[in-house]
Amino acid sequence: MNADRVSSLFWLLLGLITMYGSVQLGLGTLREPGSGFLAFLAGGFVGCIAVGIFLQSIIRYRGTPLQIKVLWAGSSWHRSFTIGLLTLGFILALEGLGFFITSFLLLFCLFKGVEKLSWGKAVLIPALTMTISYVVFNILLKSNLPRGIFGF
């Protein structure tokens, strides 16, 4: 089967599952959207794009279909696995360490470990990002992000 068709069916299914879950959360109204409103729109967008890709693969299919294994040839699996583990660690440590420390550590590990940036850039970019995030979320928007054991 054509790789575009398989991947588009996967994304269509994911979009439909997202839409179903968001309806369970409650959509609300346009004036007072519920907690599932944005997720519903995102799932619908993903589903529409998937249908478009599926139809495009049917229309343009004339020669030899692209095999799925060709899509993964030359991929760097260790990078994807490392990023997945770092993201899982971020999720698990978020409540305990707080948003700012956990986000700084995630960005630092991504920049230094995965992207192999210099020490200066690997520290400076996350520090600037967290400073801007603090100003936007804590000072301007006055939002409640997880504070963690250190209180910030």
Side-chain angles (χ1 to χ4, degrees):
M1 181 177 260
N2 187 314
D4 285 341
R5 291 183 195 167
V6 173
S7 64
S8 65
L9 290 175
F10 167 78
W11 288 109
L12 176 62
L13 179 65
L14 187 67
L16 291 173
I17 290 171
T18 302
M19 291 173 72
Y20 175 78
S22 64
V23 168
Q24 301 301 315
L25 289 173
L27 297 178
T29 64
L30 285 177
R31 291 184 185 252
E32 293 183 23
S35 58
F37 183 73
L38 191 57
F40 185 82
L41 291 178
F45 179 74
V46 169
C48 288
I49 296 296
V51 168
I53 291 172
F54 184 81
L55 293 175
Q56 186 180 35
S57 73
I58 291 173
I59 293 169
R60 133 181 109 185
Y61 176 70
R62 302 227 192 260
T64 307
L66 180 64
Q67 299 295 321
I68 292 176
K69 65 182 177 182
V70 174
L71 293 175
W72 300 105
S75 295
S76 179
W77 283 99
H78 71 280
R79 288 174 55 101
S80 300
F81 186 70
T82 302
I83 292 170
L85 284 178
L86 287 171
T87 305
L88 179 63
F90 173 81
I91 293 168
L92 294 174
L94 184 61
E95 289 295 322
L97 291 177
F99 175 76
F100 295 104
I101 293 174
T102 311
S103 298
F104 178 86
L105 290 174
L106 173 67
L107 289 174
F108 174 77
C109 290
L110 287 173
F111 290 143
K112 187 63 185 157
V114 177
E115 289 298 320
K116 309 288 189 229
L117 293 181
S118 68
W119 282 97
K121 288 180 182 177
V123 171
L124 182 64
I125 295 171
L128 288 174
T129 303
M130 291 302 94
T131 302
I132 293 169
S133 296
Y134 180 80
V135 169
V136 170
F137 289 109
N138 277 8
I139 296 173
L140 297 176
L141 297 176
K142 297 181 182 4
S143 64
N144 293 323
L145 296 171
R147 294 195 178 273
I149 58 174
F150 300 112
F152 59 90

